[in-house]
Amino acid sequence: MIRCYYIDHTFFSELVLGEISEKLKENNIFNNTEHEKLLITCHRIELYTTKEYMHDPLEKLIGHESRSIMDTTNSLKRLIKISTGTSSKILAERFILQQVKEAFSNGKIGNELKLFYSAAIDIANRLRDEYDFHTDLDYNDLALKLFSQSINSEDMQDEVLIIGGGMLAVSIQNTFKKNDNSKISMITRQPKKLKRKVGEKIKVVLADYFVEEPLLQNHKCIIATSNLNSTYVSKLQNIIKNKYCKEIFDFSAVPCFHKFVEDKKYITIYSNQFENMIKVANVNLLESAKGIESAIDKYAENKIESDFFMK
């Protein structure tokens, strides 16, 4: 029998979930085994296990009481729902399937869990295609849109410091570059890789040494990465608290600089503006999401009855 213990954004704040998930990732305090797998995203922490526990195993791990599903059928329904993207904040998001695959592919996996996870992925793929449940949007796209709506043409000529080297960081850099702004500096853990993406004219600084670099004058600071460990955060505080840092756009999963920016503009992905953008993006997918959720019961129960699972 497969059981599920979980906390998610339906009864926990996204900020608290983000803080917990970042700590779990940074400290690596859970060892996936062949009998249980931990799924961690910005909006959920879930343990799928064949073990029988006397007490809540997630509470021991994260310090918060979880909800539980104590049978294979309903655990399967939940994982299918997650994998289709109907329970995501951005409906039909394209990365959730990959996150599920990575969670269950991490280390050895027992036969029962392998069959369980494979069934969830197979059914989720079929339902997404059957209901044409797909979107090109993701959090990076909406963060970039939020950023674009929050600045004007004059802002585009300001000096700017971009933290991060991924797709969002590069996209924001391109936004400034298109406006002939050459006053751009970027901080990343992989400067050589980023340099190949943005070219030689953009100043790229290795994250380990960026506090030694001279600070920009009257600049915007854009945190365009979700990968902020405690060391990185403490270094960023020096940049953000500096009087020359005038505005902060914080697109990290866990914005944690509020107490340093009382007199500065501080925009995060937890703003009402961002929430409204998600609602607009989801409108055309709501009916398909309802259809998928209705179909999940039938698909999961047929799988249980016809296949390998213990009820």
Side-chain angles (χ1 to χ4, degrees):
M1 183 176 292
I2 294 172
R3 302 165 180 85
C4 172
Y5 298 86
Y6 68 93
I7 62 172
D8 65 16
H9 64 87
T10 63
F11 63 103
F12 260 78
S13 79
E14 293 168 48
L15 195 54
V16 171
L17 280 170
E19 289 172 348
I20 296 170
S21 63
E22 288 300 308
K23 286 178 182 177
L24 285 173
K25 291 174 186 175
E26 183 178 350
N27 298 324
N28 195 27
I29 59 176
F30 180 82
N31 293 318
N32 278 292
T33 70
E34 60 181 311
H35 302 294
E36 52 190 4
K37 299 295 177 183
L38 192 66
L39 171 63
I40 304 174
T41 75
C42 293
H43 297 130
R44 64 183 52 81
I45 298 167
E46 315 223 348
L47 178 67
Y48 292 86
T49 180
T50 57
K51 292 182 177 180
E52 187 172 355
Y53 284 96
M54 295 295 293
H55 304 287
D56 182 348
L58 263 193
E59 184 176 16
K60 183 178 180 181
L61 183 67
I62 63 177
H64 295 277
E65 184 179 353
S66 71
R67 293 179 179 173
S68 61
I69 301 171
M70 304 304 287
D71 65 281
T72 301
T73 302
N74 286 304
S75 294
L76 179 62
K77 289 177 182 179
R78 178 166 181 83
L79 189 58
I80 295 169
K81 184 177 179 181
I82 290 168
S83 301
T84 58
T86 59
S87 62
S88 296
K89 289 277 288 187
I90 299 176
L91 293 176
E93 61 160 313
R94 61 182 181 267
F95 293 124
I96 187 62
L97 266 172
Q98 186 59 36
Q99 289 173 313
V100 172
K101 289 177 182 178
E102 288 176 356
F104 280 83
S105 302
N106 184 6
K108 293 181 179 180
I109 182 169
N111 189 55
E112 190 176 1
L113 267 181
K114 184 177 181 179
L115 293 171
F116 170 85
Y117 137 77
S118 298
I121 293 295
D122 177 60
I123 294 171
N125 275 321
R126 272 189 276 165
L127 287 171
R128 286 172 73 107
D129 289 341
E130 182 180 333
Y131 286 84
D132 192 22
F133 196 62
H134 304 282
T135 183
D136 292 329
L137 283 176
D138 58 28
Y139 273 86
N140 283 348
D141 298 321
L142 290 180
L144 182 60
K145 187 175 181 180
L146 174 64
F147 174 73
S148 299
Q149 291 179 358
S150 303
I151 59 175
N152 56 43
S153 56
E154 292 181 0
D155 292 329
M156 298 307 297
Q157 298 305 314
D158 292 346
E159 292 195 55
V160 59
L161 179 65
I162 302 172
I163 316 297
M167 289 190 300
L168 179 59
V170 173
S171 296
I172 290 174
Q173 175 267 157
N174 283 332
T175 301
F176 281 96
K177 190 186 284 186
K178 287 175 184 175
N179 286 269
D180 298 321
N181 188 338
S182 59
K183 297 176 288 187
I184 305 169
S185 297
M186 302 184 74
I187 294 168
T188 178
R189 292 184 178 90
Q190 297 180 308
K192 291 182 179 178
K193 184 177 179 180
L194 180 58
K195 204 72 175 172
R196 289 195 294 270
K197 295 179 182 177
V198 301
E200 293 299 321
K201 291 184 179 180
I202 304 299
K203 183 178 181 181
V204 176
V205 181
L206 177 64
D208 290 345
Y209 304 116
F210 76 82
V211 289
E212 299 174 8
E213 294 288 322
L215 293 171
L216 302 172
Q217 300 294 309
N218 297 328
H219 65 278
K220 300 180 188 301
C221 179
I222 303 164
I223 302 170
T225 178
S226 60
N227 188 17
L228 291 177
N229 61 30
S230 55
T231 302
Y232 215 173
V233 167
S234 64
K235 288 184 176 183
L236 276 175
Q237 288 176 11
N238 296 326
I239 296 288
I240 289 168
K241 288 191 292 186
N242 191 279
K243 65 180 180 180
Y244 295 118
C245 178
K246 300 301 183 184
E247 296 179 70
I248 301 97
F249 295 83
D250 188 348
F251 299 122
S252 63
V254 189
C256 54
F257 301 106
H258 294 84
K259 59 185 176 183
F260 304 114
V261 294
E262 292 179 359
D263 58 339
K264 301 177 184 182
K265 184 178 179 181
Y266 186 55
I267 295 176
T268 78
I269 60 171
Y270 297 102
S271 66
N272 290 333
Q273 187 179 355
F274 195 77
E275 289 292 321
N276 289 334
M277 287 165 58
I278 291 175
K279 289 178 182 177
V280 171
N282 286 343
V283 165
N284 294 329
L285 292 164
L286 291 174
E287 285 303 313
S288 294
K290 289 178 183 177
I292 288 174
E293 291 189 347
S294 296
I296 285 174
D297 285 353
K298 179 185 73 175
Y299 272 89
E301 286 164 7
N302 286 346
K303 194 70 174 175
I304 294 291
E305 289 176 5
S306 65
D307 223 322
F308 35 74
F309 292 115
M310 293 175 60
K311 296 181 183 178

